[in-house]
Amino acid sequence: WGLLNAAYSYGGPRLAIKTVERNFGIPITGFVAINFNSFVRIIDAIDGVGITLTSSEAAYLNFPEGYNSFNGQQALAYARLRKIDSDFQRNQRQRNVINCVINEMASQGAASVYKVATVVLANTYTNLDLNRYISKAPSYLSYGRRQLQIPAWSETNRYYSSGQEVWRFDMVKTHNRLVSFLTN
């Protein structure tokens, strides 16, 4: 038992993949790792993203509540924000930014794909042929997207181990929920 993201820090993509495969029974054949500097550059390449802030997010980031246009650094601060709530909300903020980037690229068209591709190709670590995917990127942008948070918030129990926040959950229910999400 431990933090899923710790697998990457201990053993890179290989251990992260092995951990997901072992714990969730889902085979992983490819990965893309993007560092935070790339995150900032991608958002700046599309001239920023629009994010709607809650009152607590706005207060912490010193922005007005509601809709704000963020550059890469501001979006990164929003995505990394964890002091006001929990890791579950921080993960949702990260997904919000990713969806905003995809939506912005879809609205800007092929030119934005080219701008983002130049950043991605120069700043990622992957075992995939990104050129193959980037050439099809405009069609990918029109795909529907679904999200799933696992484990479910209602099925978690927070505790502290060596001063670190850890969440207990039912592995079988989480596995079943993930498989159902991926196969339906």
Side-chain angles (χ1 to χ4, degrees):
W1 287 94
L3 299 172
L4 185 59
N5 61 348
Y8 189 91
S9 66
Y10 294 143
R14 182 173 295 175
L15 183 57
I17 289 168
K18 183 178 178 181
T19 302
V20 170
E21 289 178 337
R22 177 176 286 167
N23 285 285
F24 297 107
I26 297 170
I28 306 291
T29 57
F31 73 90
V32 177
I34 299 175
N35 66 33
F36 283 125
N37 291 330
S38 299
F39 181 94
V40 169
R41 289 184 190 123
I42 288 167
I43 293 168
D44 287 343
I46 58 170
D47 297 322
V49 291
I51 303 285
T52 301
L53 299 177
T54 65
S55 59
S56 56
E57 291 165 346
Y60 191 86
L61 295 170
N62 199 26
F63 275 85
E65 182 178 354
Y67 184 85
N68 290 272
S69 293
F70 281 179
N71 65 27
Q73 283 292 340
Q74 294 163 333
L76 178 60
Y78 166 79
R80 296 180 92 178
L81 179 58
R82 68 179 343 147
K83 303 282 185 196
I84 61 170
D85 40 39
S86 77
D87 198 43
F88 288 94
Q89 284 80 18
R90 180 176 66 111
N91 291 337
Q92 181 60 57
R93 283 188 281 276
Q94 292 169 357
R95 291 192 306 271
N96 290 346
V97 172
I98 290 167
N99 273 322
C100 287
V101 167
I102 293 169
N103 290 339
E104 190 62 35
M105 288 174 61
S107 72
Q108 291 182 17
S112 69
V113 172
Y114 174 77
K115 290 183 211 174
V116 169
T118 59
V119 174
V120 169
L121 290 172
N123 295 285
T124 58
Y125 176 60
T126 183
N127 65 347
L128 299 172
D129 176 7
L130 289 183
N131 287 316
R132 189 177 117 213
Y133 290 95
I134 289 172
S135 68
K136 298 176 183 175
S139 64
Y140 293 151
L141 296 175
S142 64
Y143 287 175
R145 295 181 300 277
R146 299 180 306 143
Q147 296 182 23
L148 174 70
Q149 177 180 298
I150 55 170
W153 175 253
S154 62
E155 297 173 357
T156 61
N157 180 23
R158 178 175 53 181
Y159 72 100
Y160 290 87
S161 175
S162 303
Q164 189 172 21
E165 183 180 283
V166 181
W167 295 84
R168 287 189 177 111
F169 62 95
D170 184 318
M171 182 66 82
V172 173
K173 283 183 181 177
T174 299
H175 172 267
N176 291 341
R177 184 177 288 108
L178 180 58
V179 169
S180 176
F181 178 79
L182 293 173
T183 58
N184 288 330

